[in-house]
Amino acid sequence: MKLFVGLGNPGAKYAGNRHNIGFMALDQIAADHGFSPWKAKFQGQLSEGSIGREKSILLKPQTFMNNSGQSVGEALRFFKLTPADVMVFHDELDLAPGKCRVKQGGGHAGHNGLRSIHAHIGADYGRVRLGVGHPGHKDAVAGYVLRDFPKADQGWLDDLLRGIADGAPSLALGDSGKFMNAVALRVAPPRSSTGTEGGKPAKRTQSSPQAAPEKAAATKAATPPAPEAPLAEDARSPMQKLLDKFK
């Protein structure tokens, strides 16, 4: 069994925040893989189902971000799981928007949700780091993550969440490489090899009508002149040449 945990803050006020991208990822997985309706349990919202061949539990802690570990710890103990069975989806400031990385174990890098989980179950759980970008200064971080994604970000956000749901069966089996490939196919689909760019025919360079005479003139100027024909040899005798001068 796998326990997928999405981090965020409860309530409509926070639903569209960058900090809630972990909740968004689990909502997409639940919708695409036919999970049960969400129910209140373990100080969180719980949904059960299967991802591929793996029985899985989805958990969205409702303790607010800073106390996420309380909910995760309760669920872990109830299902008799180990930290290695847990995969946490969370926002990542140090990744560009739309980027996704999988990591097993390690530090919390100052993320308060991860810090709380560390305190309750240790550091040996997996993480799916979801890039939201950085505001540029540490003093601006709190306000940045607690603001909604702007409309301009909805395109890549939707692609990222759908890619996560596509790759969830591979992630449940522990194949992070296949999971990342599934995400990449949504976020950055491969270009066609049939001479198209983004689904449109490749542009061909054409010379303008005005350029044709100029090109012809340039070609003419670049053509070397033909060599002059040699003069025919004068076969007259010296006496004949002298007489011809007085004619």
Side-chain angles (χ1 to χ4, degrees), residues 3-62:
L3 176 61
F4 282 7
V5 177
L7 297 188
N9 288 310
K13 176 182 177 181
Y14 303 101
N17 287 183
R18 292 181 176 92
H19 224 15
N20 274 42
I21 194 171
F23 278 10
M24 297 175 194
L26 260 59
D27 286 338
Q28 190 72 55
I29 292 172
D32 287 5
H33 293 277
F35 271 61
S36 67
W38 295 96
K39 61 183 178 182
K41 200 167 186 179
F42 310 124
Q43 301 181 63
Q45 289 290 316
L46 187 81
S47 181
E48 300 181 65
S50 295
I51 303 177
R53 302 190 302 273
E54 292 294 308
K55 168 76 173 175
S56 302
I57 304 293
L58 307 181
L59 177 66
K60 297 188 293 185
Q62 302 294 292

Side-chain angles (χ1 to χ4, degrees), residues 77-243:
R77 291 187 291 273
F78 180 86
F79 292 111
K80 297 180 173 58
L81 301 175
T82 68
D85 299 316
V86 178
M87 185 64 69
V88 177
F89 296 76
H90 67 90
D91 58 309
E92 177 59 71
L93 291 166
D94 293 332
L95 286 178
K99 296 294 183 182
C100 174
R101 296 289 184 272
V102 180
K103 179 181 179 182
Q104 190 70 36
H108 54 67
H111 191 291
N112 288 333
L114 300 184
R115 190 196 306 272
S116 177
I117 295 173
H118 270 53
H120 285 269
I121 71 170
D124 297 330
Y125 57 92
R127 309 98 193 268
V128 178
R129 305 162 61 213
L130 305 174
V132 297
H134 198 286
H137 194 283
K138 65 179 182 179
D139 293 340
V141 165
Y144 178 76
V145 297
L146 293 176
R147 284 198 294 271
D148 288 359
F149 284 103
K151 288 183 178 180
D153 288 352
Q154 293 305 313
W156 68 255
L157 179 59
D158 183 66
D159 289 341
L160 175 62
L161 297 177
R162 290 181 181 278
I164 288 168
D166 291 346
S170 298
L171 190 64
L173 291 171
D175 193 334
S176 59
K178 282 189 176 180
F179 168 74
M180 291 296 297
N181 286 341
V183 174
L185 285 173
R186 285 282 189 175
V187 176
R191 289 191 175 192
S192 171
S193 60
T194 57
T196 61
E197 297 177 2
K200 298 180 180 179
K203 294 181 180 179
R204 294 183 179 180
T205 303
Q206 295 182 345
S207 299
S208 64
Q210 293 83 355
E214 295 176 5
K215 184 176 180 181
T219 304
K220 183 177 180 181
T223 304
E228 296 181 2
L231 296 174
E233 185 178 352
D234 194 342
R236 295 175 298 169
S237 65
M239 180 60 72
Q240 186 63 47
K241 290 179 183 179
L242 180 60
L243 290 174

